[in-house]
Amino acid sequence: MRNTAKITTAVLAAGALTLGLSACGADSSSTDGPLIVAASPVPHAEILNYVKDNLAEKEGLDLQVKEFTDYVTPNTATQDGSVGANYFQNKPYLDDFNKKNGTDIVPVVTVHLEPLGLYSHKVKKADDLKSGATVAIPNDTVNEARALKLLAADGLITLKAGVGNEATPSDITKNPKNLKFKELEAAQTPRSLDDVDAAVVNGNYAIESDLKPSQDALILESPKNNPYGNFLAVKKGNEDDPRVKKLAKLLTSPEVKKFIQDKYAGSVLASF
């Protein structure tokens, strides 16, 4: 069972933050004003701030970056026009969000992949997890399924054939180590590492917690044919906003690719 209380709290918090944003970002839907983009702090806001500080002025783009630590508010703020775009999510997550919330947010351009990883403060290899070990996994629909698929790819569990982006622990058909799963809000998974035997952590939260995915992960997602690239997104109908087009061009520029390669050293991978 997912932690519905935490999800409800996140939604209520999202509403409060959105109200605050409405006051300061009322002009975000106007193509004449600055483009306000909602983003997770790492690496999304860092990449956007690189664009803002080094590339935007030359393109005549007035870019403002608003940071959020949850996966709900950036979409609700984009939908209600408090911000003009967001940059934090992948397609399976957005599809699930639109379906559940009646929103019509669409991707514009894919920028990077943050490989999901399994981390531990207690073992050095995934094979060293003991029988009955507890593994923390994200509790939102798409990231939970993604975490289980990561464990299945390494042979720690087997999932029901054909299971998609709504897989839960109930879809596990083989569990040779009798792993137990602790479902947490995605942002909480790295903080749980002292309390569980291992945790599956999203790339952005791993980096924020001073974990180096390319070095510290016991298991790391392969970038090959990976559907979880993160993209710039807008409310449907705003794809042709000149400011959005300028930002899309800059986010997929050689300069940004070099910035990603130099700063994240393989823990974040450019998708263009």
Side-chain angles (χ1 to χ4, degrees):
M1 234 181 118
R2 294 184 175 80
N3 191 329
T4 53
K6 285 186 178 179
I7 293 173
T8 302
T9 301
V11 172
L12 289 173
L17 283 168
T18 299
L19 286 173
L21 275 173
S22 296
C24 66
D27 293 332
S28 66
S29 61
S30 168
T31 58
D32 296 328
L35 178 63
I36 304 172
V37 183
S40 299
V42 179
H44 310 80
E46 291 179 343
I47 294 170
L48 287 169
N49 281 321
Y50 170 80
V51 170
K52 176 183 177 181
D53 295 340
N54 297 277
L55 306 173
E57 185 176 358
K58 186 176 179 180
E59 285 291 324
L61 175 64
D62 185 355
L63 178 62
Q64 295 184 12
V65 183
K66 294 283 186 180
E67 295 186 12
F68 297 91
T69 57
D70 70 285
Y71 285 169
V72 176
T73 319
N75 276 336
T76 58
T78 302
Q79 182 69 23
D80 71 16
S82 300
V83 300
N86 68 54
Y87 174 34
F88 77 100
Q89 65 193 322
N90 58 56
K91 189 66 163 55
Y93 179 85
L94 177 59
D95 289 345
D96 182 70
F97 188 94
N98 279 335
K99 181 179 178 181
K100 289 180 175 177
N101 294 278
T103 47
D104 58 350
I105 298 165
V106 296
V108 176
V109 65
T110 301
V111 182
H112 77 268
L113 171 72
E114 302 159 27
L116 196 74
L118 177 70
Y119 301 85
S120 176
H121 286 171
K122 299 179 181 177
V123 298
K124 298 295 184 183
K125 297 186 296 182
D127 287 345
D128 293 338
L129 287 170
K130 295 179 180 179
S131 179
T134 298
V135 179
I137 57 176
N139 67 359
D140 64 273
T141 302
V142 170
N143 282 308
E144 181 168 65
R146 187 180 175 189
L148 294 172
K149 289 178 182 178
L150 174 70
L151 299 178
D154 199 64
L156 290 171
I157 59 172
T158 301
L159 290 171
K160 189 185 302 179
V163 70
N165 290 321
E166 295 185 357
T168 71
S170 65
D171 294 305
I172 296 172
T173 57
K174 292 182 182 178
N175 187 358
K177 287 183 176 286
N178 192 30
L179 298 176
K180 298 174 182 177
F181 297 97
K182 186 172 185 178
E183 297 166 296
L184 300 172
E185 187 178 350
Q188 299 298 322
T189 54
R191 301 170 198 170
S192 74
L193 281 168
D194 289 330
D195 303 316
V196 298
D197 296 292
V200 179
V201 183
N202 289 75
N204 61 312
Y205 291 132
I207 296 167
E208 286 177 31
S209 301
D210 295 324
L211 294 167
K212 294 183 173 66
S214 60
Q215 299 175 25
D216 298 332
L218 307 185
I219 309 170
L220 196 63
E221 269 183 331
S222 169
K224 186 176 181 181
N225 299 321
N226 196 305
Y228 298 105
N230 284 203
F231 48 70
L232 180 69
V234 297
K235 185 176 180 179
K236 188 175 182 179
N238 293 338
E239 303 95 315
D240 291 329
D241 182 325
R243 302 168 304 168
V244 171
K245 287 188 170 183
K246 287 178 182 178
L247 180 56
K249 176 184 174 183
L250 294 176
L251 282 172
T252 53
S253 65
E255 293 89 344
V256 167
K257 177 174 280 190
K258 186 176 187 304
F259 173 78
I260 291 173
Q261 291 170 340
D262 292 347
K263 184 170 181 64
Y264 302 110
S267 294
V268 177
L269 305 171
S271 299
F272 56 93

